[in-house]
Amino acid sequence: MARVLEMVFNTELGKSKTMRVIDVKDPLSGAEVTAVMDTIITKDIFGGSGGALTGKIRAQVIITSTSDVDLS
């Protein structure tokens, strides 16, 4: 199973920006995610057409599984 952390931020132009981190650890606490999101906002290390990141909207861990399909 794959675990993907999806973080959604507000931007200075009123848009949202989604970032995903693949293969996050289990368990992952809300405090850890909040700290990472705050660091990303404070350091202003990601730019884009929506402008600088200004706040947190939400975060979630998405867990997926893959099953092979027999094609014969």
Side-chain angles (χ1 to χ4, degrees):
M1 281 194 277
R3 294 174 48 83
V4 178
L5 171 62
E6 182 177 85
M7 301 173 287
V8 183
F9 298 87
N10 287 319
T11 70
E12 64 186 348
L13 297 180
K15 297 182 179 185
S16 64
K17 173 75 173 178
T18 302
M19 294 184 187
R20 292 177 186 87
V21 178
I22 299 170
D23 291 332
V24 294
K25 70 178 188 172
D26 182 25
L28 182 65
S29 73
E32 291 170 315
V33 175
T34 296
V36 167
M37 292 178 80
D38 287 342
T39 299
I40 290 170
I41 293 166
T42 302
K43 300 250 183 207
D44 195 24
I45 55 177
F46 295 103
S49 60
L53 303 177
T54 58
K56 302 179 292 281
I57 297 175
R58 72 175 178 277
Q60 60 188 3
V61 175
I62 301 167
I63 301 170
T64 60
S65 62
T66 303
S67 299
D68 289 333
V69 175
D70 184 9
L71 298 177
S72 57

